Structure formats: structure tokens, C-alpha cells
Amino acid sequence: VDFVNPRGFLEKFPHCYPNQGWRPVAAFQDVTVMAALGMGFLASSLRRYSWSSVAFSLFLLVLGVQWALLLDGFLENFSNGKVVIRLLSIQLATMSAMSVLISLGAIQGKANLLQLAVMVPLEVTAFSTMRMVNRRFLNDHANMMHIYVFSAYFGLTVAYCLSRRLPSGTQEKDRTATSPSLFAMLGTLFLWTFWPSFNCALLNDPNERKNAIFNTYYALAVSTVTATSVSAWAHPKGKINMTHIHNAVLAGGVAVGASCHLISSPWLAMVLGFVAGLISSAGAECLPVCFNQVLGLHDTCGVYYTFSLPGLLGGITYIVLLTLQISWTKNSMTGYQVLYSEALRMALASNALCLVFSLVSGFLTGLLLNLKIWKGPHVTKYFDDQAFWKFPHLAVGF
Amino acid sequence: VDFVNPRGFLEKFPHCYPNQGWRPVAAFQDVTVMAALGMGFLASSLRRYSWSSVAFSLFLLVLGVQWALLLDGFLENFSNGKVVIRLLSIQLATMSAMSVLISLGAIQGKANLLQLAVMVPLEVTAFSTMRMVNRRFLNDHANMMHIYVFSAYFGLTVAYCLSRRLPSGTQEKDRTATSPSLFAMLGTLFLWTFWPSFNCALLNDPNERKNAIFNTYYALAVSTVTATSVSAWAHPKGKINMTHIHNAVLAGGVAVGASCHLISSPWLAMVLGFVAGLISSAGAECLPVCFNQVLGLHDTCGVYYTFSLPGLLGGITYIVLLTLQISWTKNSMTGYQVLYSEALRMALASNALCLVFSLVSGFLTGLLLNLKIWKGPHVTKYFDDQAFWKFPHLAVGF
Amino acid sequence: VDFVNPRGFLEKFPHCYPNQGWRPVAAFQDVTVMAALGMGFLASSLRRYSWSSVAFSLFLLVLGVQWALLLDGFLENFSNGKVVIRLLSIQLATMSAMSVLISLGAIQGKANLLQLAVMVPLEVTAFSTMRMVNRRFLNDHANMMHIYVFSAYFGLTVAYCLSRRLPSGTQEKDRTATSPSLFAMLGTLFLWTFWPSFNCALLNDPNERKNAIFNTYYALAVSTVTATSVSAWAHPKGKINMTHIHNAVLAGGVAVGASCHLISSPWLAMVLGFVAGLISSAGAECLPVCFNQVLGLHDTCGVYYTFSLPGLLGGITYIVLLTLQISWTKNSMTGYQVLYSEALRMALASNALCLVFSLVSGFLTGLLLNLKIWKGPHVTKYFDDQAFWKFPHLAVGF
């Protein structure tokens, strides 16, 4: 019998996967569920974009993952002419690609498929470069948690560059409807349920991972209560605004991201969630008018108050916690010494770097996407909605 | 370099999480998926409540989890002035909070957000108190499985107290529609898929856990077949009724709950599933008319035939199995002795206690919620549906 | 105290579940999620079948699982008059039952509930028989991966037998709509996310399992990019066709199925995904017209280009890889010897067997379902859609 053990085949062309037990598979799956199902449906509440937002999200996610894998492979895991792909590599690539999906929330309706496909490698490269620079200052987890601030500002800057070209009549396109709104709620609930997995995905110490799961859960819980209460309280008849729920509910998870493994008391996570929910709800109520009139910037899905502001709050919290930690562990230091300690300077530097990187790379990307070549006669805007359903079968001959 | 190991920070403020491997995280996640996605969408089939039922479910779930955590922390895990929160605590709290979501099915459309927010701590406290009393008789699993009967009767009693104040014209509000019905089906399928995880969540012995998974799966499978067949058979043209599928499909999981770890033969679980599916379908067909006309009670989402009746069936099965087990293991006992054995008396007592507790606490809660203070001029009923979508962006200045 | 340890009860009536850790539970859950949520919603895009396709899928899945369990129990695991059910048995049964769900895509709208219920045991038996015959040639994984080709051709043959009886006016029934299309996208995304779990479910070697996860992911990613690009490129205005996305996105997972554990280089998986996406998109564009006019065959949900063609591609790839493997490991063999080696002959034989089995059993089933007895006066077609929502509560007496 010449049946050959496939393991021999594998040994000849080895594919180095260290045996890591079942946990990484589950963690990888959770992140993929968040990216494909959660982020895909989160932005589907607008009546005219519901279908395209889901389909485009999947397309951009997949493009982004592949680009991030290549980038990571050639820059990091390149040895002896071979690129070694680990399960963790795909997980990291999925998390990097989620930056594109967050940015998409601001750009939706302003760019066609070609422009978005061009944006993906640019944003993923910028994000990976920022993470590579920041690696000198921060560990993997804190580094990845810049994703919220980075991608929100990146998306907003790109949207700012693109938005002037929009025709009038956009108000009509902003309309939400019940059924899409339920789909958006589905996306929100997927993100809500799996956010603890996202925030703990890059932590290796089991204690830190447990801490991250707990604190993310507390912050999400409190920001949900806050968002619902504020929304009901702000309306003259005690009614709830859909957009508050879709977005503010998640603000807690964003705010607690960077420091979720450091927070030792549930109360702190809950206070963070409360403040994040408050900021996010207030932003959803007040910012659109200000943004639209003052800046001429149209933030389609509320990326600014869902990710930017809570993300900045998270960055500040991380710095404050680090300061307290340093001052507690080194009692001999004076306040002056604490403020100028290296760890603190590094955290500050990395946050500043993240902001600068996102704004500069977003601006350059926006300029590039404004070129005429992406808008030939045959590349129409994707938001004439009738386009997205054609009758698949001609059904003759019965 | 003054970079400090975060573990030092953690050691200073310890947060006691015993290392429990990956299983508890997965079990906790499954329960959260059931509560947030499953219960949230289950009740979304009514045309006018689809959006609010999903948003309210999340709000009530989160409120309930936090209250249950506090309650559990101060009553159970309070030592040396510190509350110790474990992953299991959050899982237990989520399961307790699901009692509110089950009750919500009966109350939906009869109470505003403020009334519901008041109901949450009352119901969770009543349920936790009942479990604490019952702990003397039963193990954790059997104790938690009273959730179906308790929360269904609690919700029905509250609905009975509230329903007299309803304006006429409610028929119109009962209408279902295709798209929400698909959302309800989504909720049903989430519950269906993860119900085995729910029923085995509190069992520690691996053998018992496996038994629970298998038997729940069998019962769910058979009740699905039963519900679909009965529904097609009952209709003169062989058509299927949506509500039968939404609810009766789950009856098997409810009925098998209390005794799922004791059942040794698949046939028994399948018979239970069959009877539960039959009871539930028959109830869905006949009970609403009777309830509405005789009792003046409007059970919006069919909590009575989805949870009450199969739950009672499950309680009886548990007692019968226990009796058989006692009579088999103690051959010397006479029938008289068996009936008066302590284990049996305890199971009977706990079931009676559950019924009494739910009715009394539900009645008191209903009376409290009927007070005028919850219905000020600015706290309107939440079921004028137009309220729930406002146009989020004003979109000017392009 | 006469409280009895339930373990004693279990020991008396043992239910043999080997302790297999947490992985099998997760794998089983993933497969159930794919079958219930993924396959259920995948076919829901047609406006008139959305509700019934979801409800029928669950019914058929559950029937199929039970029949497959019985079949497997009596034929395989029958010892000492006892049927031993393992978690793996249920997982295998779920995978077998998915063959019915794949076939359903072609039959949808052509059969009533009774006919479908009759089809379930016939198809599951045929599929199990084929697997039993093939077990002499192939391992469990490669054997199960024939599911795509088998069930697609089975479904198409049944549809061919049934389709002549269809009344005219079917075009109208093919219409898709936005909201159901989003549900179909939900099904697609569930399948997309959990497909790696499906393809690796029956592999025992951790290395092979990891390989399968990676390669399935690569193939899915590339086929998603291909499908979206082709769809946008084929449309004169650069718009995306919903059906392309729903189906072609999954073609990569189908094509890579049989050989996913053998492929050593990501490039090969990606090329497979690319070709599969291309074939599937081209098929979606061209085949319906040809099928409808030439063959008089109406493939409702595009089973032919989603499962048949990529499945055949996967079968050919498996044979080619096996040939290369044999020629590499046995350098002394001539090309003639390689082509006539036993392993290769076995792979070829199993593929041919699968095709023949599916066509013959599908044809016989189709003839049987065409009998008049399944269409009595009271068994109407299930696709008069108004039937599926009745007003559940009469709501009087308030």
C-alpha cells in the first residue's frame, strides 16, 4: 500500500505553527466575529447605506487583513527567506484591519469602492508604522489600543478632505429606518458581547487578561446604563434616541481599552464607563451641528463621539494610572521626578505620536483620494442605492 | 529605566481571580450571548416594539447584572470588608438578570422605561432571596433552573396588575411583520444554539455537564420537530404559525432544565421535549383567548406557554426522577418511606416556594409599579413607536 | 440524610462520554452555529421565502440530525444492544444534516413541508451510505468534504425532477429586497466566520487542524476580494450584485475543503480561493440563463455555482496534490506508476462515486417526491407567503 502519511508532506514543507492550545483559536474567532459581524452591521443603520456598508466592510476587512499580513510578514517575521505566519499574526492583522472599518464610519457615502480599496493599504501601513515606532515605548496591548484614536482621527481627516465634493441633498441620505436600525443594534450587540475578548486579546499574563475582561465588562455595563438614561432624560417625552444606543453603549469599552489590565478596582472601570457614556451621549446630541456648520465636516456614523473622545479619555487615564503607579512604587521620588520619569514621558510621547500620525497620514490619504483618476466616468458613487439589488435569475422556461 | 512591572501594581491591589482555564470564559461568553443577543431579539417580533424591545432588553440586562453583582457581593462573597468578584459571579449575575428579560416578555408594552428600571432590582432581589432560601434544599444548578417558572409567573402577575390601565386599541399593536419576525427568529436561533451551554453552566462534574449538554440538545431537537409539525397540522392549509416556532421551539430546553444532568437515556429527554413542544404549541393556540377573556391578562410574547408550563413540567420531572432514584438506591424502603424521604420533601418544598415567591413578589411589584409617581406628565408610554428614530445629523454646510 | 449523589445514579445507567476537554464542545458549537444560523439565513434573500427558509431550515436540520444519529448509532456504534452517543456523533450528524440544507437552496419554492420532510431521511441515508463506502478509500475529513459536491448535485437533480410542475409567474418570486438581503448577508457572514472551524472539525492532528484553519481563512479572504472585484467590474456602472457577494464569497471555503490540511503554502490556498471566486462569480452571471433555458432547471439560490463547481475544483486539487505528494515521496517511481498508484486510484474512485451516488439518489428521490400522495388537497405549497404570519393574540377584554 503506497498511502502516505500527510505528516511527511508537512515535514517537507513545514509551516511553523507552535502548538498553543485551544485559547488562541477562540480568541482569533472572537476578533473575527467582532470585525465581520460587529463592525459590518454597526454602520448599517442609515437607510441608503445599509446593504453597501455590510458588503463593503467585509471587502475592506479582508483586503486589510491580507495587506497587514504581508506587511507584518516582511517586516517582522522574515527569516531565511521565509515568512512565518502564526495564528497570532492573523489575529493582529484582523485587529489592524479593524482600523479601516472604524474609519469607514466617517467616510461612508463620500467615497466609491475604488477609493476605499486604495485607502486600505495606506491606512494599514500608517497604523503599522505607528505601532512599530511606538513599540519602543509600549507593550503590544497598549500599543494596539491606540487603534481607536488613530483610526477615528484618520477617518475624520479623510472625510474632511473628501466632504467638500459632496452634492447637496445629503440630508435625505441620513435617514434611518427601523429594520436597518435593528441590524445596527445587532452589530452593536456583537461588539458589546465580544469587546472583552478584544481588549484582552494581546495580553499574555492570565491575571492581566482576567482583569481586562472584568474591567471592560464593567465599563460597558455602566456606559450602557448611562447612554440609555441620558438619552431618555434628554428627550422632552422621555424617548430613546437610536444613535445614542448604537454608539454610546460602546464608549465604555473604548475608554477602558488602554488601561483595562491596570485597573484594580471595579469602581474605577465603572467611573470610566460612566464618563465615557456621558461624553459620548453629549457628543451625539451636540457635536453634529457644530461639526457640520463650523468645520464643514460630516461624520456619517458618529465616529468622533464613539471612538475619538472615549479613546482620548482612555489615553489620559492610562497616563494618570501610570503616574500613580510610579509615585506609589517609588516613594522616594518627588513629584517633579515622577512627572519627568521615563515611563510617563514614553506614554505621553506615544499618545502624541498617535495623534500626529493619524492626522498627517489621514490628510495625505485624503489628498490622494481626491485625485480625479479614482473617479472616471465608469466609477460612480456607490450610494445610488437601487444599484445594489439586481434580479439574479431570469427564470424562464418553466 | 524606571518602567514598572504592572504585576507589582496588581499585587498591591489584588483582585482575586482563581485561574480556571479557558472553559469559564467560554461559558460566561455563551451566557452573555444568550442574554444580550438571544433574549434581546426574541421579543422583537411585534411590529411596534421591535426596536424598543431590543434596546430595553440590553438596558435591563445590564442593570440587572450590576444589581445582582452587588447583592451577591455583599451577601455572599463579603470578607474582610472586600467584595471578591469572580468570573462565576458575573455569570451567575447574568443568569439572574435573565429572569428580568423573561418577565419582560409578558410586560412589554404595558410599562415605561422608568417602571421597568424600578422593576429590575425588585425582581432580581426576589429571585436571589428565593435562591438563597432554596440553597438549603438544592444544589446550585437545580436552584437556578427555577428561573423559568419564577420569572414567568412574576412577569404574568406584574402584567396582570398593570394591564387594566391599558387603553383600547391594543390589537393593532400586536401585529407582527416579516422583517421583525426574522429578527425574532434570530433571537430564537441564538437561544436554541446556546441553550445547552446555559443548562450546563452551573454543573461542575464533567460527566454531569456532558449529560446536560446532550439531553438539552435532544429535548430542543424534538420540541422543534413537534412545534413545526403541530403548527402545520393545526392550520387548515398546512401553514406554519410564526409564534409557534418562536416559542415552542424553546420549550424543550426549558422542560429539561432542572433534570438535564440526571436523565440517563436520550429517550427520556426526547419524550420531555415532545411533551413540552406539544404543551407549548397547544398553549399558543388556545391560551391567549382564554387569558384575555377570562383573566383580563395580556401575555404579550407568550411567556406563559414558553416558560411557565414547560418549566412546571420540568419541576415535576425532577421530582419524579428523584423519587425513582431514591426508590432504586434504597431497596429496603417502602413506598411510604420514599414519598416522605427528605430529598423528595425538599424538592417539593423548593418548587412550592418558587411559585409562592414569584406570585407574591410579582403582585407586590405590580402594585408598586401602579403608583402614579412613575407616570408623570413627562414620562410617557414608550410604545408610540415614531419616537424611537430621530434624524441624528442635521447635515448642513456642504 | 438520604440525599443521594447523582453520580451514583449515573453509574447505574452509564452514558459513555469520554472526557475530551473543552475543544470538542467548542467545535460542536461552531458547527451548530453554522448550520442553524448560517445556513438558515443564507437562503433568506428571496422576498417571498425569507421567513419560511429560516423556519424550514431549522426543522430540516433537526430532523436530519436525529435521523443521522439513529443511522450512525445502529450502523456504527452499536455494541451489546446499546447505542453509544458521543459529542463527536452529534457533530458528525449535524454535518451530515447540513447536506440537506445545502440541497434546500436548489429546491426552495418547489416542494412543500411534507415533501421536504420525506427528503431528509432519504438524503441523509444516501450521504451516510456513500461515506460508509468511501471510508475504505479516504479518511474521515476528506470523506466528509464530499458534502459540497454530493448535496449540490442531489439538490439540483431533485429540483430538476420537481421543477416541471411549477406554475408560471415564478419570476416575481425571485425578487430580492434589502432587508432580507441583509439577513442573507448575516448568514453569509456566520458561515464565513466559522468556515475554518467546519473544515478542521474532523482533523485530529493539531498540525493538520492549524493548517486547515489557515488555508480556509486564506481561501475565503481571496475569494471575497475576487467576488467583490468581479462583481463591480462586470457591472457597467461599477455596482455590486448582492447574489455575487452572498454566494461567491463562500466559494473559497468550499474549494479548499478537501485539501485544506495538505496545502503547505498560503499561495496555493490563495490561488484556489481566487479561481473559486472567479468560477463562482462567472457562474452567477452566466449560468442561470443557460440553466433555465437549456435544462429547464431553476436553481433558486445558486447552489450550482456556490457549491458544485468549487467543490469539483476542490476534488481535482486534492487529486493533484496527492499525485505530487506521491511522486515526491517516491522518487523511484515513473510517471506511469504514479498515475496508477493505489492512493490516487482511490481518490479518483471516491470522487466518481460521490457524483454517481448524488445523481442517482437525487433522481430517485425526485421521482418519489413527484408522487401525488404528498400533495393532497390540504397540503398546499408553502410559498404563498401571507400564510406565515397570523395574528397571534386576539387581545380582547382590556
Side-chain angles (χ1 to χ4, degrees):
Chain A
V1 187
D2 57 347
F3 194 83
V4 181
N5 186 357
R7 189 192 291 274
F9 193 61
L10 274 172
E11 269 157 19
K12 210 163 173 185
F13 305 91
H15 215 184
C16 304
Y17 309 132
N19 196 343
Q20 298 158 308
W22 185 249
R23 196 193 74 78
V25 179
F28 160 65
Q29 221 172 44
D30 288 355
V31 170
T32 308
V33 166
M34 278 186 78
L37 286 161
M39 296 302 298
F41 281 105
L42 180 63
S44 66
S45 67
L46 301 181
R47 198 170 59 85
R48 301 197 66 168
Y49 307 133
S50 51
W51 158 250
S52 52
S53 86
V54 177
F56 279 39
S57 290
L58 182 62
F59 177 67
L60 298 180
L61 168 69
V62 156
L63 262 193
V65 170
Q66 291 179 69
W67 183 259
L69 265 182
L70 283 181
L71 215 66
D72 177 73
F74 282 108
L75 296 180
E76 309 281 319
N77 295 312
F78 194 73
S79 60
N80 308 328
K82 274 185 196 161
V83 171
V84 180
I85 302 177
R86 291 195 185 76
L87 202 50
L88 190 68
S89 317
I90 305 191
Q91 190 185 318
L92 267 173
T94 310
M95 291 170 99
S96 301
M98 280 180 76
S99 67
V100 179
L101 301 184
I102 295 175
S103 302
L104 183 64
I107 305 165
Q108 202 147 51
K110 300 182 190 63
N112 60 36
L113 187 56
L114 190 58
Q115 286 174 312
L116 291 174
V118 170
M119 195 191 76
V120 170
L122 295 175
E123 176 161 6
V124 170
T125 310
F127 185 59
S128 296
T129 315
M130 189 208 73
R131 285 204 304 128
M132 201 178 295
V133 175
N134 265 344
R135 196 165 303 158
R136 284 177 44 215
F137 310 136
L138 296 169
N139 60 350
D140 261 8
H141 166 77
N143 205 348
M144 180 55 86
M145 286 303 139
H146 283 311
I147 187 174
Y148 305 126
V149 172
F150 178 88
S151 44
Y153 279 107
F154 185 96
L156 288 167
T157 323
V158 172
Y160 179 75
C161 295
L162 291 175
S163 62
R164 325 199 144 222
R165 310 284 166 119
L166 262 194
S168 66
T170 322
Q171 286 100 318
E172 199 271 335
K173 283 172 188 159
D174 259 345
R175 281 222 223 112
T176 56
T178 328
S179 181
S181 193
L182 276 174
F183 280 110
M185 198 65 200
L186 184 69
T188 303
L189 285 174
F190 268 116
L191 290 175
W192 197 90
T193 313
F194 291 102
W195 208 292
S197 291
F198 185 83
N199 275 355
C200 81
L202 295 182
L203 294 168
N204 288 317
D205 184 74
N207 255 358
E208 286 185 12
R209 205 158 55 224
K210 289 256 159 71
N211 249 343
I213 291 179
F214 279 62
N215 287 322
T216 308
Y217 190 82
Y218 299 144
L220 283 170
V222 175
S223 74
T224 303
V225 174
T226 312
T228 315
S229 313
V230 166
S231 187
W233 177 81
H235 190 272
K237 293 181 114 183
K239 291 163 181 176
I240 297 178
N241 188 329
M242 280 179 160
T243 33
H244 289 186
I245 304 299
H246 289 158
N247 295 319
V249 149
L250 302 172
V254 174
V256 91
S259 47
C260 57
H261 59 305
L262 291 176
I263 297 174
S264 59
S265 151
W267 302 115
L268 193 48
M270 291 168 106
V271 168
L272 259 182
F274 175 71
V275 177
L278 220 57
I279 288 177
S280 191
S281 301
E285 196 67 33
C286 316
L287 279 177
V289 187
C290 149
F291 263 45
N292 289 329
Q293 288 184 327
V294 180
L295 292 174
L297 172 60
H298 184 244
D299 180 8
T300 322
C301 292
V303 162
Y304 193 69
Y305 47 82
T306 312
F307 293 100
S308 293
L309 294 179
L312 288 176
L313 175 68
I316 294 168
T317 313
Y318 183 69
I319 291 172
V320 170
L321 278 179
L322 216 61
T323 316
L324 289 177
Q325 183 183 352
I326 293 164
S327 65
W328 277 332
T329 49
K330 310 226 164 166
N331 287 317
S332 58
M333 289 169 86
T334 64
Y336 184 83
Q337 280 173 316
V338 165
L339 282 177
Y340 282 82
S341 74
E342 207 175 331
L344 193 59
R345 284 209 323 268
M346 280 172 169
L348 279 170
S350 72
N351 272 290
L353 197 76
C354 167
L355 267 178
V356 171
F357 240 92
S358 63
L359 291 172
V360 170
S361 60
F363 190 68
L364 292 176
T365 308
L367 287 184
L368 186 67
L369 295 186
N370 252 342
L371 295 179
K372 285 263 169 68
I373 49 164
W374 316 117
K375 301 174 211 158
H378 59 287
V379 186
T380 48
K381 289 268 186 306
Y382 76 85
F383 45 72
D384 1 358
D385 54 343
Q386 288 214 331
F388 297 109
W389 35 100
K390 300 197 297 185
F391 307 116
H393 308 295
L394 288 175
V396 283
F398 284 105
Chain B
V1 188
D2 58 347
F3 195 82
V4 181
N5 185 358
R7 189 193 293 272
F9 192 60
L10 273 172
E11 270 157 17
K12 210 164 173 182
F13 304 91
H15 214 184
C16 303
Y17 310 130
N19 196 344
Q20 297 158 307
W22 184 249
R23 197 192 74 77
V25 178
F28 159 67
Q29 221 172 44
D30 288 355
V31 170
T32 309
V33 166
M34 278 186 78
L37 286 161
M39 297 302 299
F41 280 104
L42 180 62
S44 65
S45 68
L46 301 180
R47 200 169 58 84
R48 300 196 65 169
Y49 308 132
S50 51
W51 157 250
S52 53
S53 86
V54 177
F56 279 39
S57 289
L58 182 62
F59 177 67
L60 297 181
L61 168 68
V62 155
L63 262 192
V65 170
Q66 290 178 70
W67 183 258
L69 266 182
L70 284 180
L71 215 65
D72 177 73
F74 283 108
L75 295 181
E76 306 284 319
N77 295 312
F78 194 74
S79 61
N80 308 328
K82 272 184 196 161
V83 172
V84 180
I85 301 177
R86 292 197 184 75
L87 202 49
L88 190 67
S89 318
I90 305 190
Q91 190 185 318
L92 266 172
T94 310
M95 291 170 98
S96 302
M98 279 180 76
S99 66
V100 180
L101 301 184
I102 295 174
S103 302
L104 183 65
I107 305 164
Q108 202 146 51
K110 301 183 188 63
N112 59 36
L113 187 55
L114 190 57
Q115 286 174 311
L116 291 174
V118 170
M119 194 190 78
V120 170
L122 295 175
E123 176 161 6
V124 171
T125 309
F127 185 58
S128 297
T129 314
M130 189 207 73
R131 286 204 303 127
M132 202 178 294
V133 175
N134 264 343
R135 196 164 303 156
R136 283 178 43 216
F137 310 136
L138 295 169
N139 61 350
D140 261 8
H141 166 77
N143 205 347
M144 179 56 86
M145 287 303 139
H146 283 311
I147 187 173
Y148 306 125
V149 174
F150 178 88
S151 44
Y153 279 106
F154 185 95
L156 287 167
T157 324
V158 172
Y160 179 74
C161 295
L162 291 175
S163 63
R164 307 172 171 245
R165 310 285 168 119
L166 262 195
S168 68
T170 321
Q171 287 99 319
E172 200 272 333
K173 283 171 187 159
D174 259 346
R175 281 224 223 112
T176 55
T178 328
S179 180
S181 193
L182 276 174
F183 280 109
M185 197 66 200
L186 184 70
T188 303
L189 284 174
F190 268 115
L191 289 175
W192 196 90
T193 313
F194 291 101
W195 208 293
S197 291
F198 184 83
N199 274 356
C200 82
L202 294 182
L203 294 168
N204 288 317
D205 184 74
N207 256 358
E208 286 185 11
R209 204 158 54 223
K210 288 255 159 70
N211 251 342
I213 291 179
F214 279 61
N215 288 321
T216 309
Y217 190 82
Y218 300 143
L220 283 171
V222 175
S223 74
T224 303
V225 174
T226 313
T228 314
S229 312
V230 166
S231 187
W233 177 81
H235 190 272
K237 293 182 113 182
K239 290 164 182 175
I240 297 178
N241 188 329
M242 280 179 159
T243 32
H244 289 185
I245 305 299
H246 290 158
N247 296 318
V249 150
L250 302 172
V254 174
V256 90
S259 48
C260 57
H261 59 304
L262 290 176
I263 296 173
S264 59
S265 150
W267 303 115
L268 193 48
M270 291 169 107
V271 168
L272 258 183
F274 175 71
V275 177
L278 221 56
I279 288 178
S280 190
S281 301
E285 198 66 33
C286 317
L287 279 177
V289 187
C290 150
F291 263 44
N292 289 329
Q293 286 184 327
V294 181
L295 293 173
L297 172 60
H298 183 243
D299 180 9
T300 323
C301 293
V303 161
Y304 192 70
Y305 47 83
T306 313
F307 293 100
S308 292
L309 294 179
L312 287 177
L313 175 68
I316 294 167
T317 313
Y318 183 70
I319 292 171
V320 170
L321 277 178
L322 216 60
T323 316
L324 289 177
Q325 182 184 355
I326 294 165
S327 65
W328 278 332
T329 49
K330 311 224 164 166
N331 288 316
S332 60
M333 289 170 86
T334 63
Y336 184 83
Q337 280 174 314
V338 165
L339 281 177
Y340 282 82
S341 72
E342 206 175 331
L344 193 59
R345 286 211 320 270
M346 281 172 168
L348 279 170
S350 72
N351 272 291
L353 196 76
C354 167
L355 266 177
V356 172
F357 241 93
S358 63
L359 291 172
V360 170
S361 59
F363 190 67
L364 293 176
T365 308
L367 286 185
L368 185 68
L369 295 187
N370 253 343
L371 295 179
K372 285 262 170 68
I373 48 164
W374 316 116
K375 301 174 211 158
H378 59 287
V379 185
T380 48
K381 291 267 185 307
Y382 76 84
F383 46 72
D384 1 358
D385 55 343
Q386 290 214 331
F388 296 110
W389 36 99
K390 300 196 298 184
F391 307 115
H393 309 295
L394 289 175
V396 283
F398 283 104
Chain C
V1 188
D2 58 346
F3 194 83
V4 181
N5 186 358
R7 190 191 293 271
F9 192 60
L10 274 171
E11 269 156 19
K12 208 162 174 186
F13 305 92
H15 214 186
C16 303
Y17 309 132
N19 195 344
Q20 298 158 307
W22 184 248
R23 197 192 74 79
V25 179
F28 160 66
Q29 221 173 44
D30 288 355
V31 171
T32 309
V33 166
M34 277 186 79
L37 286 161
M39 296 302 298
F41 280 105
L42 180 63
S44 65
S45 68
L46 301 181
R47 198 168 60 82
R48 300 196 66 169
Y49 307 132
S50 51
W51 158 250
S52 53
S53 86
V54 177
F56 278 39
S57 290
L58 183 64
F59 177 67
L60 298 180
L61 169 69
V62 156
L63 262 192
V65 169
Q66 290 178 69
W67 183 259
L69 265 182
L70 283 181
L71 215 65
D72 176 74
F74 282 108
L75 296 181
E76 308 282 320
N77 296 312
F78 194 73
S79 61
N80 309 326
K82 273 185 197 161
V83 171
V84 180
I85 301 176
R86 291 197 183 77
L87 202 50
L88 190 68
S89 318
I90 305 191
Q91 190 185 318
L92 267 172
T94 310
M95 291 171 99
S96 301
M98 279 180 77
S99 67
V100 180
L101 301 184
I102 294 175
S103 302
L104 182 65
I107 305 164
Q108 203 147 50
K110 300 181 189 64
N112 61 37
L113 187 56
L114 191 57
Q115 285 174 312
L116 291 174
V118 170
M119 194 191 77
V120 169
L122 295 175
E123 175 160 7
V124 170
T125 310
F127 184 60
S128 297
T129 314
M130 189 207 72
R131 286 204 303 128
M132 202 178 293
V133 175
N134 265 343
R135 195 165 302 158
R136 284 178 44 216
F137 310 136
L138 296 169
N139 61 350
D140 261 9
H141 166 77
N143 205 347
M144 180 55 85
M145 286 304 140
H146 283 311
I147 187 173
Y148 306 126
V149 172
F150 177 87
S151 44
Y153 279 106
F154 185 96
L156 288 167
T157 324
V158 172
Y160 179 75
C161 296
L162 291 175
S163 61
R164 309 176 167 241
R165 310 283 167 117
L166 261 195
S168 65
T170 321
Q171 285 100 319
E172 199 271 334
K173 283 172 188 159
D174 259 346
R175 280 224 222 112
T176 54
T178 329
S179 181
S181 193
L182 277 174
F183 280 110
M185 198 65 200
L186 184 70
T188 303
L189 285 175
F190 268 115
L191 289 175
W192 197 90
T193 313
F194 291 102
W195 208 293
S197 291
F198 184 82
N199 275 356
C200 82
L202 295 182
L203 295 167
N204 288 317
D205 184 75
N207 255 358
E208 286 185 11
R209 204 158 55 223
K210 287 256 158 73
N211 250 343
I213 291 178
F214 279 61
N215 288 320
T216 309
Y217 190 82
Y218 299 143
L220 283 169
V222 174
S223 75
T224 304
V225 173
T226 312
T228 315
S229 312
V230 166
S231 186
W233 177 81
H235 190 274
K237 292 182 112 182
K239 291 164 181 175
I240 297 176
N241 189 328
M242 279 179 159
T243 32
H244 289 185
I245 304 299
H246 289 158
N247 296 319
V249 149
L250 302 172
V254 174
V256 91
S259 48
C260 58
H261 58 305
L262 290 176
I263 296 174
S264 59
S265 150
W267 302 115
L268 193 48
M270 291 169 106
V271 167
L272 259 183
F274 175 72
V275 177
L278 220 56
I279 288 177
S280 191
S281 300
E285 197 67 32
C286 316
L287 280 177
V289 186
C290 150
F291 264 44
N292 290 330
Q293 287 184 327
V294 180
L295 293 174
L297 172 61
H298 184 243
D299 180 9
T300 323
C301 293
V303 162
Y304 193 69
Y305 47 82
T306 313
F307 293 101
S308 292
L309 293 179
L312 288 177
L313 175 68
I316 294 167
T317 313
Y318 182 70
I319 292 172
V320 170
L321 277 178
L322 217 59
T323 316
L324 290 177
Q325 183 183 354
I326 293 165
S327 64
W328 278 333
T329 47
K330 311 226 163 164
N331 288 316
S332 58
M333 289 168 85
T334 63
Y336 184 82
Q337 280 174 315
V338 165
L339 280 177
Y340 281 82
S341 72
E342 206 175 333
L344 192 58
R345 286 209 322 268
M346 280 173 168
L348 279 170
S350 71
N351 272 291
L353 196 76
C354 167
L355 267 178
V356 171
F357 240 92
S358 63
L359 291 172
V360 170
S361 59
F363 190 68
L364 293 176
T365 307
L367 287 184
L368 185 68
L369 295 187
N370 253 343
L371 295 179
K372 284 262 169 69
I373 48 164
W374 314 117
K375 301 174 211 160
H378 60 287
V379 185
T380 47
K381 291 266 184 308
Y382 76 85
F383 44 73
D384 1 358
D385 54 345
Q386 289 213 332
F388 297 109
W389 35 100
K390 300 196 297 183
F391 308 117
H393 308 295
L394 288 174
V396 284
F398 284 103

